[in-house]
């Protein structure tokens, strides 16, 4: 009788425990269904992750009559020369692949003097690359061309700075000294503004932004860098400014002339220090990278500075979900953006457009209340500045063939339901074992 009484008590206890577990599961499900208002990563940190969503493409063109040694050199030198870079190489036989979309990038003059090469940016513009010279061996010319594509003095300086700092304001000087001086003052002022608010960021960044200046003497040596920004090195007639961060990513538009103001630059720079769960278009979180080589030494330094390795597969998966959750256009973004449609086994079409805002919602949505108050005090304002209308100077897109890089995306409700069920099963199992063990002892 006593054993039956004790067993009944255990059963009553078990029912009560199960009831508590059900209540707990409901509460957990409610909490999981609430939107997450904070993210463990910032835009600055996400910028160091390479999800290979958008890469540069280098197409090498040959024909049936091309010497086999040249074809072999194309393959071997491209493999060695483009390692650890964000450029994907592909050989196209113009006689056998006449319907290849990249054939549209090859002009008539190049087609008559194969082998040839064309570099294509994720933003759509293309650039013929010289791979043959009459007085140089093909292998030597090809290696030199690859090195020019991946490296230049200013890009090396930018890479060094973005690893250690908040980001870089790249100022490309024009022929007018007064315009250059005005642009440089605006860039210096915005760097001072960001520096004064570094302690208010969601997560600390050790060093503030820095200014990198490209004078007219450097323009010709930076042809690839300027091309990746949508500029022709022969047509720099006024100052230009771009913001670069993370893994040498260009974020926002290319400001030119009178558009280079403290407010316009600040609107982009404040995005970098923001929480990544702010609903921005994914191009804000994964801006176009400059063509460059990213070495293991650089990656190790970034991991040391951030306190985690951005190349860790689990971190990359988490960040890919973050980017996908913010992959719609942010309302009222005051800068140029691109809508990207990706269809399996088809070409990627990039359509570029520009929005003209009526107010400045980006900076308002990103800055904390303290940052807004401090910025208003420093600028002598009672309300946030309105952004001047800007236009994105990136060139018209061209049709290109890019293999889609799908990212794992799990819907938030389904993920929450799975977490709840797994947690509930684990709790029921633990308590069930405990109850059975207790009943057995009695």
């Amino acid at each position: 009788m006593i054993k039956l009484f004790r067993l009944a008590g255990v059963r009553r206890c078990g029912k009560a425990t199960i009831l508590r577990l059900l209540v707990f599961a409901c509460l957990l499900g409610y909490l999981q269904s609430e939107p997450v208002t904070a993210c463990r990563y910032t835009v600055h940190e996400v910028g160091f992750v390479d999800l290979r969503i958008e890469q540069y493409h280098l197409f090498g063109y040959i024909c049936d009559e091309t010497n086999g040694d040249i074809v072999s050199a194309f393959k071997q030198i491209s493999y060695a020369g483009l390692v650890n870079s964000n450029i994907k190489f592909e050989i196209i036989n113009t006689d056998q692949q006449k319907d290849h979309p990249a054939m549209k990038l090859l002009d008539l003059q190049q087609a008559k003097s194969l082998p040839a090469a064309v570099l294509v940016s994720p933003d759509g513009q293309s650039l013929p690359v010289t791979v043959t010279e009459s007085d140089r061996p093909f292998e030597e010319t090809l290696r030199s061309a690859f090195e020019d594509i991946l490296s230049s003095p200013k890009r090396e300086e930018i890479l060094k700075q973005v690893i250690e700092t908040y980001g870089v304001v790249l100022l490309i000087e024009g022929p007018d000294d007064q315009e250059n001086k005005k642009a440089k003052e605006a860039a210096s002022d915005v760097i001072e503004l960001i520096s004064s608010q570094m302690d208010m960021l969601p997560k600390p960044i050790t060093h503030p932004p820095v200014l990198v200046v490209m004078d007219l003497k450097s323009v010709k040596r930076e042809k690839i860098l300027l091309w990746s920004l949508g500029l022709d090195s022969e047509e720099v007639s006024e100052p230009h400014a771009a913001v670069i961060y993370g893994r040498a990513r260009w974020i926002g538009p290319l400001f030119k002339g009178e558009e280079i103001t403290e407010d316009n630059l600040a609107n982009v720079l404040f995005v970098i220090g923001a929480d990544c769960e702010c609903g921005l278009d994914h191009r804000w979180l994964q801006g176009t990278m400059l063509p460059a080589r990213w070495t293991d030494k650089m990656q190790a330094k970034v991991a040391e500075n951030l306190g985690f390795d951005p190349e860790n597969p689990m971190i990359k998966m988490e960040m890919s979900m973050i980017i996908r959750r913010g992959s719609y256009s942010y309302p009222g973004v005051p800068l140029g953006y691109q809508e990207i449609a990706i269809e399996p086994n088809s070409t990627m079409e990039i359509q570029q457009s520009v929005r003209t805002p009526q107010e400045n919602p980006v900076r308002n949505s990103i800055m904390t209340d303290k940052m807004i108050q401090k910025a208003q005090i420093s600028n002598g304002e009672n309300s946030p500045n309105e952004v001047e209308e800007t236009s994105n100077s990136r060139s018209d897109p061209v049709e290109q063939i890019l293999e889609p890089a799908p990212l794992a995306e799990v819907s938030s409700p389904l993920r929450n339901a799975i977490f709840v069920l797994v947690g509930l099963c684990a709790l029921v199992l633990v308590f069930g074992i405990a109850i059975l063990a207790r009943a057995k002892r009695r």
Side-chain angles (χ1 to χ4, degrees):
M1 179 66 69
I2 295 176
K3 288 185 178 180
L4 290 175
F5 179 77
R6 287 180 177 176
L7 183 58
V10 170
R11 287 174 179 172
R12 286 196 298 271
C13 179
K15 290 180 180 179
T17 301
I18 293 174
L19 181 61
R20 293 191 191 101
L21 290 175
L22 290 175
V23 173
F24 175 76
C26 292
L27 179 61
L28 181 61
Y30 171 77
L31 293 175
Q32 288 286 340
S33 64
E34 290 298 299
V36 179
T37 57
C39 175
R40 52 185 297 219
Y41 303 113
T42 63
V43 174
H44 175 258
E45 292 173 329
V46 175
F48 285 105
V49 176
D50 183 13
L51 299 176
R52 307 213 174 255
I53 298 175
E54 297 172 353
Q55 292 182 288
Y56 289 83
H57 279 66
L58 180 62
F59 296 104
Y61 297 88
I62 60 171
C63 63
D64 288 340
E65 298 178 358
T66 302
N67 189 294
D69 292 338
I70 291 179
V71 177
S72 178
F74 247 143
K75 294 179 180 179
Q76 294 177 8
I77 296 175
S78 64
Y79 178 80
L82 300 178
V83 67
N84 293 329
S85 74
N86 55 342
I87 298 177
K88 183 178 180 180
F89 180 74
E90 181 179 352
I91 292 181
I92 298 174
N93 189 314
T94 57
D95 292 325
Q96 301 177 16
Q97 298 173 274
K98 295 181 179 180
D99 295 330
H100 196 292
M103 287 294 293
K104 297 179 181 180
L105 305 174
L106 188 67
D107 60 37
L108 294 176
Q109 184 176 359
Q110 286 181 304
K112 294 178 180 179
S113 58
L114 299 179
V118 175
L119 180 64
V120 183
S121 165
D123 292 330
Q125 66 264 30
S126 61
L127 178 71
V129 177
T130 301
V131 294
T132 58
E133 294 181 12
S134 57
D135 56 344
R136 296 177 67 185
F138 175 74
E139 293 82 356
E140 183 180 338
T141 306
L142 187 61
R143 286 193 178 91
S144 178
F146 283 179
E147 190 62 28
D148 290 342
I149 290 173
L150 290 173
S151 180
S152 64
K154 286 302 173 184
R155 272 182 287 173
E156 293 302 316
E157 183 178 354
I158 290 170
L159 285 168
K160 180 180 178 181
Q161 295 293 349
V162 292
I163 290 173
E164 298 287 351
T165 68
Y166 185 102
V168 167
V169 178
L170 174 63
L171 177 62
I172 304 163
E173 293 186 338
D176 191 297
D177 291 339
Q178 287 299 115
E179 291 182 351
N180 294 337
K181 181 180 179 182
K182 184 178 178 181
K184 189 177 294 185
E185 288 176 352
S188 299
D189 289 343
V190 75
I191 289 174
E192 183 178 351
L193 172 63
I194 300 293
S195 301
S196 67
Q197 300 178 22
M198 293 287 286
D199 57 340
M200 300 179 186
L201 296 174
K203 293 182 71 174
I205 301 176
T206 306
H207 301 291
V210 295
L211 177 63
V212 173
V213 179
M214 183 191 302
D215 56 28
L216 281 177
K217 296 179 181 179
S218 305
V219 166
K220 291 185 178 180
R221 296 197 303 268
E222 300 295 338
K223 179 181 178 180
I224 299 294
L225 171 57
L226 293 175
W227 166 81
S228 68
L229 298 174
L231 278 177
D232 187 336
S233 60
E234 302 294 332
E235 300 178 359
V236 180
S237 58
E238 59 183 337
H240 291 75
V243 177
I244 302 170
Y245 79 110
R247 197 160 172 158
R249 297 183 183 279
W250 168 30
I251 182 172
L254 181 67
F255 297 108
K256 58 182 179 179
E258 296 297 324
E259 297 171 353
I260 306 175
T261 65
E262 180 183 350
D263 286 336
N264 284 346
L265 292 172
N267 290 330
V268 179
L269 282 167
F270 274 116
V271 173
I272 297 174
D275 189 301
C276 63
E277 294 265 14
C278 51
L280 294 173
D281 187 280
H282 85 275
R283 289 186 64 83
W284 282 92
L285 301 180
Q286 287 274 292
T288 302
M289 287 191 290
L290 304 180
R293 187 180 288 110
W294 190 262
T295 66
D296 293 339
K297 184 178 180 180
M298 294 176 180
Q299 187 63 33
K301 186 62 178 177
V302 168
E304 179 184 347
N305 292 341
L306 298 181
F308 64 89
D309 184 5
E311 287 300 297
N312 182 292
M314 297 301 295
I315 290 177
K316 292 179 74 171
M317 181 180 296
E318 183 177 359
M319 288 191 178
S320 71
M321 293 179 182
I322 292 169
I323 291 171
R324 285 306 185 191
R325 286 200 293 270
S327 62
Y328 52 86
S329 177
Y330 187 79
V333 172
L335 309 171
Y337 75 99
Q338 295 179 336
E339 296 178 352
I340 300 177
I342 301 178
E343 298 180 2
N345 302 321
S346 66
T347 61
M348 177 185 291
E349 297 178 355
I350 302 180
Q351 297 179 342
Q352 183 176 3
S353 59
V354 177
R355 291 192 176 187
T356 304
Q358 296 180 349
E359 56 182 8
N360 182 352
V362 174
R363 189 173 179 181
N364 299 347
S365 67
I366 292 167
M367 297 173 64
T368 62
D369 293 339
K370 290 182 180 180
M371 295 171 75
I372 293 175
Q373 293 171 4
K374 191 166 184 178
Q376 291 174 355
I377 292 173
S378 64
N379 293 331
E381 301 171 349
N382 294 322
S383 62
N385 292 328
E386 293 187 352
V387 178
E388 299 177 5
E389 179 180 351
T390 61
S391 63
N392 195 331
S393 62
R394 304 185 191 186
S395 61
D396 293 336
V398 297
E399 184 179 12
Q400 52 187 295
I401 183 165
L402 302 177
E403 293 182 4
L407 297 175
E409 180 179 7
V410 183
S411 63
S412 181
L414 178 59
R415 186 174 60 255
N416 294 339
I418 293 174
F419 287 159
V420 171
L421 290 175
V422 171
L424 180 60
C425 291
L427 288 173
V428 170
L429 180 62
V430 171
F431 279 97
I433 293 174
I435 291 171
L436 290 175
R438 183 177 177 184
K440 187 175 181 180
R441 287 198 303 270
R442 294 181 179 181

